Amino acid sequence: MYLKSIEIAGFKSFARKSVLDFNTPISAVVGPNGSGKSNAAEAFRFVLGEQSIKSLRGKRAEDLIFNGGKDAARANRASVKLVFNNVQRVLNIDFDEVSLERVVHRDSSSEYFINGSLVRLKDIIELLAGAHIGASGHHIISQGEADKVLNANTRERREMIEDALGLKIYQYKKEESIRKLDKTEENIKQVESLRREIAPHIRFLKKQVEKIEKAVEMKTDLTKMYHEYFCREESYLNNERKSVTSEKEPLLKKREELEKELAEAKETLAKSNTRDHKSEKVMEVEGKLKETRITKDSLMRNVGRIEGEISSLIRLLKKQKDANSAMTNKTVLLSQVENITKEIDLEIDGAFETSDISKVKEIFRNIKKLLKDFIEKNKESENKQAEEEIENDIKGLESEKSGYELKIKDAEKLETELEEQYVFLKSEIEKERDSNRDAEKALFRIVAEQNDIRGHLSNLESRESILRKNEEDLKRELQEGSILVGIQALRYKDFWPTSESGVAVSLEEIINEPRQVQEDRRRALEKIKIRLEDAGVAGGDEIMKEFKETSERDVFLAKELEDLFKSSESLKILIKELDEKLTNEFRLGVTKINIQFQEFFTAMFGGGSAKLSLVKEKKRKRSDTDLTIPGEGEAHDLTEEEEEQEEGLDIEVNLPKKKIKGLMMLSGGERALTSIALLFAISQVNPPPFIILDETDAALDEANSRKYGDMIANLSKYSQLILITHNRETMSRAGVIYGVTMGSDGISRLLSIQFEEAVQVAK
Ligand code: ATP
């Protein structure tokens, strides 16, 4: 038993909450006309998600809500809740009991609940499709719709059968896949359009990026060239500066020296007028010298005269003395001789006692003197006086001579001094004469040297001015370089030029390189600078960034496109597979149904034949949605576009003993029987959990009612049956009978009743 109960509240005539429990295989609902039995059957349709208000016998959603009775106010909402026993997991949800509930409000909004949780209509439909309770309602036959399956066109019939065969789930999957495919294809178009849109931009950016890359390459080249150029230039200029300075320094020093020399020479020449003064002085000294010499000569003459006088006096004195010495035979007393001998002996003794020769010599002198004095004492001189006078004269003359000699000495000293002065002055004058000559010579030499130096210095100054210009140029070029290629241009000091063979070039080579080669380098630099400026790729980083982002986006889009194509392909495959499955299962199902149909048909009519046959149909559009509930997008789910060629289902019947071949030719009862036979056949092949038959038996006579009853009893083995009936036979098959009554208030009420009571009520 799958269906447990239905709870109806506010739905149509069921103003108050009414519950029907279905705990037997067959439940019957009986009641007088207009009491609300069909409303109960519609409550099933409603809760199962019926979207067609027309098939619920209404025009607007409001018509489904209790509209008020004599003493009863109208309801604001209608709700129906169906409770399933799901122990066997007939419904694909992991609960032993499942309740489905639908609520409709006066503003036409609908709400669906599964076990009290708000869900979408789609969820309800999918859940039910899995249990063969499809929206086509093949298991709910409303009043007057017993021959619905016969009246339906081939396509509708096919749908009913698909639903009954449980193929709807594949249909939904297929529809969903088609929708997904449509969406995917739409996305593909969008992505392709996006890619088309960005393609020109990417092309533009690519060109820019190529330019930037070229510029970067040029910058790299330029940086290398700058390094070589700067390195060589700086080395050259430093050397030039050093060489100019070292050449200039001695020249400046020399110039200074020459200036000093010049000043000196000039000064020397200026001094030449002092020479006259010196000549006068020489003459003066000459005069003095002459005078001194005259004085000296006169003094010397005096000395000569005195010396003559002295020598004549000496001669006179000698004569006097000679006269005196003629008295040598004079006799002396012995005692006197003895005395003198004693004195001499004493002296001689002294001489014997000493070994010092000088003392001995002294002693001899003393002896000599003793003897002389003895002799002198014993002489008797009458000319002694004259002798003394001569001696005195000589003495007088000698002292006069010494006086003159002193004066001569002074005169000689003065003469010497004057001579020296004379010589000095003479040499000074001579010297001055020489230095003037030198100064004049020097003057010529200095001027010549100065001219020479001036020439050299002027050369050096012009070299210096070129150097300064070159230094300024280098400074400017360094600035330009750093602006053009960045700070790395200034890192040339880390670099040293190498020859073509990769050997480091010597400083000597750099210095001695012809300037033209460096000039050529500078020109090459200028050329590449111009090309770089022409490339005009300002904001390179941003363009690179944009190119990267845009390319990444394009790659992303391409990847997305690839994914979309893949999913489109897999969706197409899935759709194809579903199509095949649907076709195969449908055909298989139809074959199975046909066997049952034939059996039920034969049982009903006691013979004859009936079968469903597949027919090809042209494409047709269907929209069976006339219940448009705001906010319910799912309404769209039931609209579909049929394929160009589609298989529909036709019914072929052959009544026994009658030559009737078309459905149109059947009587009302025959139609009902055929329809029931088909419905039962369908249900037998793939039994739904429950079947509701609303007065399907209305047109049957008693004999057929029995057959109908038998079939119901048989069918109830597979599906739970809820039968709305006035038929006594049908009622007799039910395990529980519910009576529906409607009082004067227009409200339907439910009650469980006995068979007899039911028969009574039914009447
Ligand atoms: P029969 O045996 O003749 O087929 P029935 O028992 O099936 O009758 P229903 O057709 O279920 O009767 O009930 C129809 C009754 O429900 C009508 O009397 C109608 O007034 C009432 N009804 C329908 N819609 C509403 C509504 N929205 N509000 C109140 N009553 C309604």
Side-chain angles (χ1 to χ4, degrees), residues 122-144:
K122 190 171 170 261
D123 302 321
I124 299 270
I125 289 171
E126 279 183 13
L127 186 66
L128 294 172
H132 317 129
I133 315 169
S136 70
H138 68 278
H139 56 297
I140 304 173
I141 306 300
S142 300
Q143 193 175 13

PDB file of all heavy atoms in Angstrom, residues 122-144:
ATOM      1  N   LYS A 122       9.080  21.543 -10.468  1.00  0.00           N
ATOM      2  CA  LYS A 122       9.955  20.613 -11.174  1.00  0.00           C
ATOM      3  C   LYS A 122      10.358  19.429 -10.280  1.00  0.00           C
ATOM      4  O   LYS A 122      10.392  18.283 -10.723  1.00  0.00           O
ATOM      5  CB  LYS A 122      11.218  21.402 -11.577  1.00  0.00           C
ATOM      6  CG  LYS A 122      12.134  20.701 -12.489  1.00  0.00           C
ATOM      7  CD  LYS A 122      13.197  21.702 -12.941  1.00  0.00           C
ATOM      8  CE  LYS A 122      14.305  20.987 -13.671  1.00  0.00           C
ATOM      9  NZ  LYS A 122      15.461  20.713 -12.907  1.00  0.00           N
ATOM     10  N   ASP A 123      10.638  19.744  -9.020  1.00  0.00           N
ATOM     11  CA  ASP A 123      11.052  18.690  -8.089  1.00  0.00           C
ATOM     12  C   ASP A 123       9.919  17.680  -7.888  1.00  0.00           C
ATOM     13  O   ASP A 123      10.134  16.475  -7.817  1.00  0.00           O
ATOM     14  CB  ASP A 123      11.440  19.301  -6.739  1.00  0.00           C
ATOM     15  CG  ASP A 123      12.560  20.331  -6.902  1.00  0.00           C
ATOM     16  OD1 ASP A 123      13.462  20.060  -7.720  1.00  0.00           O
ATOM     17  OD2 ASP A 123      12.512  21.381  -6.242  1.00  0.00           O
ATOM     18  N   ILE A 124       8.688  18.212  -7.796  1.00  0.00           N
ATOM     19  CA  ILE A 124       7.513  17.351  -7.600  1.00  0.00           C
ATOM     20  C   ILE A 124       7.360  16.443  -8.825  1.00  0.00           C
ATOM     21  O   ILE A 124       7.201  15.222  -8.701  1.00  0.00           O
ATOM     22  CB  ILE A 124       6.223  18.209  -7.416  1.00  0.00           C
ATOM     23  CG1 ILE A 124       6.353  19.119  -6.176  1.00  0.00           C
ATOM     24  CG2 ILE A 124       4.969  17.352  -7.401  1.00  0.00           C
ATOM     25  CD1 ILE A 124       5.875  18.555  -4.868  1.00  0.00           C
ATOM     26  N   ILE A 125       7.426  17.084  -9.984  1.00  0.00           N
ATOM     27  CA  ILE A 125       7.198  16.338 -11.230  1.00  0.00           C
ATOM     28  C   ILE A 125       8.245  15.235 -11.402  1.00  0.00           C
ATOM     29  O   ILE A 125       7.923  14.101 -11.735  1.00  0.00           O
ATOM     30  CB  ILE A 125       7.198  17.309 -12.442  1.00  0.00           C
ATOM     31  CG1 ILE A 125       5.921  18.156 -12.394  1.00  0.00           C
ATOM     32  CG2 ILE A 125       7.281  16.550 -13.756  1.00  0.00           C
ATOM     33  CD1 ILE A 125       5.859  19.286 -13.381  1.00  0.00           C
ATOM     34  N   GLU A 126       9.496  15.586 -11.121  1.00  0.00           N
ATOM     35  CA  GLU A 126      10.559  14.588 -11.270  1.00  0.00           C
ATOM     36  C   GLU A 126      10.398  13.439 -10.275  1.00  0.00           C
ATOM     37  O   GLU A 126      10.604  12.274 -10.617  1.00  0.00           O
ATOM     38  CB  GLU A 126      11.925  15.255 -11.092  1.00  0.00           C
ATOM     39  CG  GLU A 126      12.354  15.949 -12.372  1.00  0.00           C
ATOM     40  CD  GLU A 126      13.733  16.568 -12.292  1.00  0.00           C
ATOM     41  OE1 GLU A 126      14.474  16.266 -11.334  1.00  0.00           O
ATOM     42  OE2 GLU A 126      14.032  17.358 -13.207  1.00  0.00           O
ATOM     43  N   LEU A 127      10.015  13.805  -9.053  1.00  0.00           N
ATOM     44  CA  LEU A 127       9.841  12.785  -8.011  1.00  0.00           C
ATOM     45  C   LEU A 127       8.731  11.806  -8.430  1.00  0.00           C
ATOM     46  O   LEU A 127       8.877  10.587  -8.318  1.00  0.00           O
ATOM     47  CB  LEU A 127       9.497  13.467  -6.686  1.00  0.00           C
ATOM     48  CG  LEU A 127       9.427  12.576  -5.467  1.00  0.00           C
ATOM     49  CD1 LEU A 127      10.807  12.009  -5.142  1.00  0.00           C
ATOM     50  CD2 LEU A 127       8.904  13.352  -4.252  1.00  0.00           C
ATOM     51  N   LEU A 128       7.630  12.384  -8.948  1.00  0.00           N
ATOM     52  CA  LEU A 128       6.472  11.561  -9.320  1.00  0.00           C
ATOM     53  C   LEU A 128       6.745  10.743 -10.585  1.00  0.00           C
ATOM     54  O   LEU A 128       6.347   9.593 -10.683  1.00  0.00           O
ATOM     55  CB  LEU A 128       5.238  12.441  -9.531  1.00  0.00           C
ATOM     56  CG  LEU A 128       4.721  13.134  -8.258  1.00  0.00           C
ATOM     57  CD1 LEU A 128       3.620  14.120  -8.605  1.00  0.00           C
ATOM     58  CD2 LEU A 128       4.192  12.107  -7.264  1.00  0.00           C
ATOM     59  N   ALA A 129       7.481  11.352 -11.526  1.00  0.00           N
ATOM     60  CA  ALA A 129       7.770  10.662 -12.784  1.00  0.00           C
ATOM     61  C   ALA A 129       8.498   9.355 -12.506  1.00  0.00           C
ATOM     62  O   ALA A 129       8.250   8.335 -13.166  1.00  0.00           O
ATOM     63  CB  ALA A 129       8.593  11.554 -13.699  1.00  0.00           C
ATOM     64  N   GLY A 130       9.365   9.388 -11.488  1.00  0.00           N
ATOM     65  CA  GLY A 130      10.119   8.184 -11.133  1.00  0.00           C
ATOM     66  C   GLY A 130       9.209   7.065 -10.624  1.00  0.00           C
ATOM     67  O   GLY A 130       9.593   5.899 -10.617  1.00  0.00           O
ATOM     68  N   ALA A 131       7.986   7.461 -10.171  1.00  0.00           N
ATOM     69  CA  ALA A 131       7.051   6.452  -9.637  1.00  0.00           C
ATOM     70  C   ALA A 131       5.885   6.214 -10.594  1.00  0.00           C
ATOM     71  O   ALA A 131       4.817   5.745 -10.196  1.00  0.00           O
ATOM     72  CB  ALA A 131       6.539   6.925  -8.278  1.00  0.00           C
ATOM     73  N   HIS A 132       6.065   6.591 -11.862  1.00  0.00           N
ATOM     74  CA  HIS A 132       5.044   6.441 -12.916  1.00  0.00           C
ATOM     75  C   HIS A 132       3.773   7.180 -12.602  1.00  0.00           C
ATOM     76  O   HIS A 132       2.675   6.733 -12.918  1.00  0.00           O
ATOM     77  CB  HIS A 132       4.714   4.950 -13.187  1.00  0.00           C
ATOM     78  CG  HIS A 132       5.927   4.100 -13.244  1.00  0.00           C
ATOM     79  ND1 HIS A 132       6.053   2.932 -12.517  1.00  0.00           N
ATOM     80  CD2 HIS A 132       7.086   4.255 -13.908  1.00  0.00           C
ATOM     81  CE1 HIS A 132       7.260   2.424 -12.750  1.00  0.00           C
ATOM     82  NE2 HIS A 132       7.896   3.219 -13.596  1.00  0.00           N
ATOM     83  N   ILE A 133       3.890   8.293 -11.883  1.00  0.00           N
ATOM     84  CA  ILE A 133       2.700   9.118 -11.629  1.00  0.00           C
ATOM     85  C   ILE A 133       2.922  10.395 -12.420  1.00  0.00           C
ATOM     86  O   ILE A 133       3.366  11.404 -11.900  1.00  0.00           O
ATOM     87  CB  ILE A 133       2.506   9.438 -10.122  1.00  0.00           C
ATOM     88  CG1 ILE A 133       2.706   8.178  -9.284  1.00  0.00           C
ATOM     89  CG2 ILE A 133       1.143  10.034  -9.867  1.00  0.00           C
ATOM     90  CD1 ILE A 133       2.796   8.436  -7.783  1.00  0.00           C
ATOM     91  N   GLY A 134       2.648  10.303 -13.705  1.00  0.00           N
ATOM     92  CA  GLY A 134       2.980  11.431 -14.556  1.00  0.00           C
ATOM     93  C   GLY A 134       1.916  12.497 -14.587  1.00  0.00           C
ATOM     94  O   GLY A 134       0.799  12.304 -14.087  1.00  0.00           O
ATOM     95  N   ALA A 135       2.299  13.610 -15.173  1.00  0.00           N
ATOM     96  CA  ALA A 135       1.379  14.749 -15.236  1.00  0.00           C
ATOM     97  C   ALA A 135       0.250  14.485 -16.241  1.00  0.00           C
ATOM     98  O   ALA A 135      -0.779  15.132 -16.208  1.00  0.00           O
ATOM     99  CB  ALA A 135       2.144  15.998 -15.632  1.00  0.00           C
ATOM    100  N   SER A 136       0.441  13.553 -17.153  1.00  0.00           N
ATOM    101  CA  SER A 136      -0.614  13.287 -18.142  1.00  0.00           C
ATOM    102  C   SER A 136      -1.862  12.725 -17.460  1.00  0.00           C
ATOM    103  O   SER A 136      -2.951  12.741 -18.019  1.00  0.00           O
ATOM    104  CB  SER A 136      -0.108  12.296 -19.187  1.00  0.00           C
ATOM    105  OG  SER A 136       0.035  11.025 -18.587  1.00  0.00           O
ATOM    106  N   GLY A 137      -1.670  12.254 -16.225  1.00  0.00           N
ATOM    107  CA  GLY A 137      -2.815  11.817 -15.430  1.00  0.00           C
ATOM    108  C   GLY A 137      -3.506  10.569 -15.957  1.00  0.00           C
ATOM    109  O   GLY A 137      -4.726  10.436 -15.815  1.00  0.00           O
ATOM    110  N   HIS A 138      -2.766   9.703 -16.576  1.00  0.00           N
ATOM    111  CA  HIS A 138      -3.376   8.475 -17.095  1.00  0.00           C
ATOM    112  C   HIS A 138      -3.944   7.619 -15.973  1.00  0.00           C
ATOM    113  O   HIS A 138      -4.811   6.800 -16.194  1.00  0.00           O
ATOM    114  CB  HIS A 138      -2.324   7.657 -17.870  1.00  0.00           C
ATOM    115  CG  HIS A 138      -1.259   7.115 -16.978  1.00  0.00           C
ATOM    116  ND1 HIS A 138      -0.186   7.872 -16.566  1.00  0.00           N
ATOM    117  CD2 HIS A 138      -1.137   5.894 -16.375  1.00  0.00           C
ATOM    118  CE1 HIS A 138       0.564   7.140 -15.763  1.00  0.00           C
ATOM    119  NE2 HIS A 138       0.002   5.927 -15.629  1.00  0.00           N
ATOM    120  N   HIS A 139      -3.482   7.847 -14.761  1.00  0.00           N
ATOM    121  CA  HIS A 139      -3.945   7.059 -13.622  1.00  0.00           C
ATOM    122  C   HIS A 139      -5.068   7.778 -12.868  1.00  0.00           C
ATOM    123  O   HIS A 139      -5.547   7.304 -11.868  1.00  0.00           O
ATOM    124  CB  HIS A 139      -2.765   6.792 -12.682  1.00  0.00           C
ATOM    125  CG  HIS A 139      -2.100   8.064 -12.245  1.00  0.00           C
ATOM    126  ND1 HIS A 139      -1.486   8.898 -13.133  1.00  0.00           N
ATOM    127  CD2 HIS A 139      -2.006   8.639 -11.032  1.00  0.00           C
ATOM    128  CE1 HIS A 139      -1.020   9.960 -12.483  1.00  0.00           C
ATOM    129  NE2 HIS A 139      -1.333   9.812 -11.195  1.00  0.00           N
ATOM    130  N   ILE A 140      -5.416   8.952 -13.348  1.00  0.00           N
ATOM    131  CA  ILE A 140      -6.570   9.651 -12.747  1.00  0.00           C
ATOM    132  C   ILE A 140      -7.575   9.890 -13.876  1.00  0.00           C
ATOM    133  O   ILE A 140      -7.345  10.738 -14.742  1.00  0.00           O
ATOM    134  CB  ILE A 140      -6.165  10.983 -12.087  1.00  0.00           C
ATOM    135  CG1 ILE A 140      -5.063  10.751 -11.037  1.00  0.00           C
ATOM    136  CG2 ILE A 140      -7.368  11.663 -11.462  1.00  0.00           C
ATOM    137  CD1 ILE A 140      -4.477  12.021 -10.449  1.00  0.00           C
ATOM    138  N   ILE A 141      -8.574   9.124 -13.864  1.00  0.00           N
ATOM    139  CA  ILE A 141      -9.586   9.278 -14.923  1.00  0.00           C
ATOM    140  C   ILE A 141     -10.762  10.041 -14.331  1.00  0.00           C
ATOM    141  O   ILE A 141     -11.466   9.555 -13.439  1.00  0.00           O
ATOM    142  CB  ILE A 141     -10.056   7.909 -15.445  1.00  0.00           C
ATOM    143  CG1 ILE A 141      -8.844   7.048 -15.883  1.00  0.00           C
ATOM    144  CG2 ILE A 141     -11.058   8.056 -16.589  1.00  0.00           C
ATOM    145  CD1 ILE A 141      -7.998   7.656 -16.975  1.00  0.00           C
ATOM    146  N   SER A 142     -10.901  11.253 -14.812  1.00  0.00           N
ATOM    147  CA  SER A 142     -11.969  12.098 -14.256  1.00  0.00           C
ATOM    148  C   SER A 142     -13.323  11.693 -14.841  1.00  0.00           C
ATOM    149  O   SER A 142     -13.400  10.957 -15.827  1.00  0.00           O
ATOM    150  CB  SER A 142     -11.698  13.548 -14.609  1.00  0.00           C
ATOM    151  OG  SER A 142     -10.477  13.917 -14.077  1.00  0.00           O
ATOM    152  N   GLN A 143     -14.302  12.274 -14.198  1.00  0.00           N
ATOM    153  CA  GLN A 143     -15.668  11.998 -14.636  1.00  0.00           C
ATOM    154  C   GLN A 143     -15.818  12.394 -16.108  1.00  0.00           C
ATOM    155  O   GLN A 143     -15.366  13.470 -16.516  1.00  0.00           O
ATOM    156  CB  GLN A 143     -16.631  12.824 -13.783  1.00  0.00           C
ATOM    157  CG  GLN A 143     -18.041  12.391 -13.937  1.00  0.00           C
ATOM    158  CD  GLN A 143     -18.945  13.166 -12.968  1.00  0.00           C
ATOM    159  OE1 GLN A 143     -18.557  14.158 -12.384  1.00  0.00           O
ATOM    160  NE2 GLN A 143     -20.161  12.696 -12.819  1.00  0.00           N
ATOM    161  N   GLY A 144     -16.410  11.478 -16.855  1.00  0.00           N
ATOM    162  CA  GLY A 144     -16.646  11.770 -18.275  1.00  0.00           C
ATOM    163  C   GLY A 144     -15.401  11.637 -19.112  1.00  0.00           C
ATOM    164  O   GLY A 144     -15.409  11.921 -20.305  1.00  0.00           O
TER     165      GLY A 144
END
